[in-house]
Amino acid sequence: MQKTIFRTQIFIRLLLIIAIGFSIMYVLTETHFWLVSMWLGLLLLILFFELIRFIERTHLEMENLVIAIRQGDFSNTYYKHPALKGHMLSHAFNQLVSTFQQLRQEKESNHHYFQNIVEQVSVALICVDQQGKVQLVNLAAKQLLKRPVLRHLEDVQAIDSELYHTIKNIQAGEKALIRVIIQQQLLHILLQATEFKMQGKEFKLLSIQDFRAELEEQEVASWQKLIRVLTHEIMNSVIPISNLTGMVSEMLIHIDEDNGLKLNVLNDSEVIDLHGSLLTIEERTNGLINFVKAYKSLTQVAQPQFRSVKVGMLIERLHALLKPKLHEKNITWNKKVEPANLEIKADFELIEQVLINLVNNAIYALQKVKNPEIDVYAFVNEKNQKIIQVIDNGIGIERELVEQIFIPFFTTKKNGSGIGLSLSRQIMRLHKGNISVQSIIGGGTVFTLSF
């Protein structure tokens, strides 16, 4: 319909121009009213220029529409615009404007939605551009840093210089643990950074989290677990020693009313009992001494002497050390290193000690298993971490014990010291690595060393 109206307007204007043109020719050739031909010529020029102007208005309005789009102004409508009245483009223009208006509304809605989500996040978030200008900061960041307004990264320097330099120098994917004091309050801050591009510009998104409360809670829990283990071990030795010393005292000495303390005369049976009691006291005392030595070794781990270690050679030496025990228990040993020349930066002796602990634990778990196997695998995972795994098909570890096996002096073995896995975790931390465990009852256990 609109296309028909536009064509009709053009057609009428062309017909008028043609009709006036013929009229001028007729007046000039068939009559003597040459003055009329001048007026008709003037009218012809007016109609001609009006046609040009009518067409140019369409292009002008299209140009204005493009400029409006560039400037983000979508307030114009074209249904009643005199330049486009009845024009076939009016509908298209208004559809285009309506689409842009809808897109803008959706963009604004998404922006408000995103802002509301960011404001509700409990982790402090700060987004800065390459010039250090703050593009986004949520309420948690303002509360943590005690600043209602953050416009530039330089504003952080006024809060704490160490925090500022850490934020400025941290790279994407890195983490940093720092202690800062903000308004006389000590904070333990975990800082993480990631980078992204948007519309050709680079931005850095920083997450800042105070984990002091969680750290204190974990510290208290760790101390409680450690104290329970210490008191359990000490009481197991002290109570028998106390009872036996009291019994020995009664056997050896009695109180005489006239002469005071007197030494008892013992028969053969009593001498044997006395000797047995003294041996038990000695054994429990030695047990306490060994316990204290184990605790001392746990708290005084030597600092690693880092060097390049060929993982294949490390596993071969491990196998050579434990081969007699593996052969005695009829345990199948499997090894796989990918790539074959895989190397790690580590202290050879300390990591070997960790692996010996893990393999010994695996051997213990395989005591009642048919076709026992131990697999030692080394590879590079998708995060480019170098991994060594010790896998057995043993009885597995109960779920409630998995979190306790790394606690110092906790053990499920009858004659175990309970420091092997705890010491292994400490050694891995000194290597900036990690040790983790996955286990299924009846389905075996996997210990993973991540470097």
Side-chain angles (χ1 to χ4, degrees):
M1 180 65 181
Q2 292 171 342
K3 187 183 292 186
T4 303
I5 294 173
F6 177 73
R7 287 176 177 175
T8 302
Q9 290 179 348
I10 296 291
F11 185 68
I12 291 172
R13 284 173 170 78
L14 289 174
L15 283 178
L16 287 173
I17 290 172
I18 293 170
I20 292 174
F22 278 109
S23 299
I24 292 173
M25 295 298 296
Y26 177 78
V27 170
L28 288 175
T29 57
E30 300 295 332
T31 67
H32 300 286
F33 303 106
W34 57 271
L35 188 59
V36 174
S37 64
M38 292 178 60
W39 289 107
L40 289 174
L42 182 60
L43 180 60
L44 179 66
L45 288 174
I46 291 172
L47 287 173
F48 182 75
F49 283 112
E50 199 279 334
L51 175 61
I52 294 174
R53 186 164 176 261
F54 178 76
I55 296 172
E56 285 181 343
R57 282 181 200 165
T58 303
H59 295 286
L60 180 62
E61 288 304 320
M62 185 174 290
E63 184 180 347
N64 290 336
L65 175 65
V66 172
I67 294 173
I69 291 172
R70 183 180 299 172
Q71 295 177 347
D73 180 13
F74 307 112
S75 59
N76 291 336
T77 56
Y78 299 89
Y79 287 115
K80 297 181 180 180
H81 200 287
L84 295 177
K85 188 174 181 180
H87 200 293
M88 62 180 179
L89 289 178
S90 63
H91 181 67
F93 281 5
N94 281 287
Q95 279 190 328
L96 185 60
V97 170
S98 177
T99 301
F100 274 108
Q101 287 175 341
Q102 184 178 356
L103 290 174
R104 167 176 277 185
Q105 290 174 357
E106 290 178 358
K107 180 181 177 181
E108 290 177 353
S109 298
N110 290 335
H111 179 70
H112 290 305
Y113 176 70
F114 171 73
Q115 276 194 326
N116 288 331
I117 291 177
V118 170
E119 288 297 331
Q120 296 301 319
V121 173
S122 59
V123 177
L125 297 174
I126 300 176
C127 182
V128 297
D129 58 19
Q130 287 181 301
Q131 287 72 40
K133 187 177 180 182
V134 176
Q135 301 294 326
L136 178 146
V137 56
N138 66 348
L139 181 61
K142 296 175 183 177
Q143 292 175 343
L144 179 67
L145 301 178
K146 304 293 189 295
R147 277 295 183 98
V149 178
L150 279 175
R151 294 187 176 88
H152 199 276
L153 202 58
E154 298 289 340
D155 295 340
V156 180
Q157 191 168 16
I159 301 171
D160 187 272
S161 58
E162 184 180 356
L163 177 61
Y164 166 74
H165 290 297
T166 305
I167 290 176
K168 188 175 181 181
N169 297 323
I170 192 170
Q171 301 298 316
E174 290 184 348
K175 295 181 181 180
L177 295 172
I178 57 173
R179 297 171 61 187
V180 300
I181 298 176
I182 300 178
Q183 293 187 0
Q184 299 181 347
Q185 182 181 4
L186 177 64
L187 303 178
H188 297 267
I189 285 181
L190 171 63
L191 182 66
Q192 293 178 275
T194 184
E195 292 181 354
F196 62 94
K197 278 188 177 182
M198 188 170 62
Q199 295 180 347
K201 296 181 180 179
E202 293 184 357
F203 297 90
K204 182 188 288 185
L205 180 63
L206 304 159
S207 66
I208 308 172
Q209 189 173 8
D210 177 23
F211 62 98
R212 176 175 49 86
E214 290 81 0
L215 186 65
E216 290 176 353
E217 184 178 341
Q218 290 294 326
E219 185 178 1
V220 170
S222 298
W223 275 112
Q224 289 174 342
K225 290 177 182 177
L226 180 58
I227 289 170
R228 282 199 297 268
V229 174
L230 288 172
T231 53
H232 175 74
E233 290 293 330
I234 292 171
M235 292 302 291
N236 281 347
S237 295
V238 170
I239 291 176
I241 290 173
S242 176
N243 293 335
L244 287 171
T245 51
M247 187 178 69
V248 168
S249 177
E250 290 178 0
M251 292 176 65
L252 290 175
I253 299 172
H254 71 276
I255 300 176
D256 188 285
E257 294 181 357
D258 298 328
N259 300 317
L261 297 177
K262 292 290 184 179
L263 189 66
N264 292 329
V265 178
L266 304 179
N267 57 36
D268 292 342
S269 175
E270 289 174 331
V271 170
I272 293 172
D273 290 341
L274 177 62
H275 182 256
S277 299
L278 292 174
L279 287 177
T280 303
I281 291 173
E282 183 182 10
E283 289 175 0
R284 296 314 305 163
T285 303
N286 289 333
L288 272 177
I289 292 172
N290 292 332
F291 177 78
V292 172
K293 287 181 178 179
Y295 182 79
K296 185 178 180 181
S297 68
L298 185 64
T299 56
Q300 295 180 349
V301 181
Q303 287 296 318
Q305 301 297 317
F306 291 100
R307 58 190 175 96
S308 293
V309 175
K310 293 185 180 297
V311 177
M313 186 182 70
L314 174 65
I315 296 175
E316 285 294 339
R317 175 165 154 171
L318 176 69
H319 183 222
L321 288 170
L322 298 172
K323 190 174 181 179
K325 186 182 289 188
L326 294 168
H327 182 72
E328 178 188 347
K329 304 291 183 180
N330 197 28
I331 297 173
T332 302
W333 174 273
N334 300 309
K335 181 199 82 168
K336 188 175 183 181
V337 179
E338 292 182 343
N341 61 347
L342 182 64
E343 292 186 0
I344 57 174
K345 289 287 186 181
D347 186 304
F348 189 98
E349 286 74 21
L350 289 179
I351 296 301
E352 184 181 53
Q353 182 181 350
V354 172
L355 289 172
I356 289 173
N357 285 334
L358 296 182
V359 174
N360 280 329
N361 287 343
I363 293 172
Y364 180 82
L366 292 169
Q367 288 181 351
K368 300 178 181 179
V369 175
K370 292 183 180 179
N371 303 318
E373 290 187 14
I374 295 177
D375 302 325
V376 181
Y377 292 158
F379 58 93
V380 180
N381 67 6
E382 64 279 0
K383 296 181 180 178
N384 204 33
Q385 293 177 317
K386 295 173 182 178
I387 305 296
I388 301 176
Q389 289 184 329
V390 177
I391 307 169
D392 66 67
N393 62 339
I395 58 176
I397 304 171
E398 295 180 12
R399 187 174 181 180
E400 58 270 17
L401 299 181
V402 169
E403 291 299 321
Q404 301 182 55
I405 59 175
F406 293 103
I407 298 174
F409 311 112
F410 177 86
T411 180
T412 57
K413 301 178 184 177
K414 291 182 180 179
N415 299 318
S417 64
I419 67 167
L421 289 176
S422 179
L423 186 62
S424 298
R425 171 170 279 185
Q426 192 167 345
I427 290 172
M428 288 304 298
R429 283 176 177 168
L430 290 173
H431 283 76
K432 306 298 182 184
N434 185 42
I435 180 172
S436 60
V437 59
Q438 291 178 311
S439 186
I440 301 173
I441 294 296
T445 302
V446 180
F447 279 93
T448 302
L449 305 180
S450 305
F451 295 88

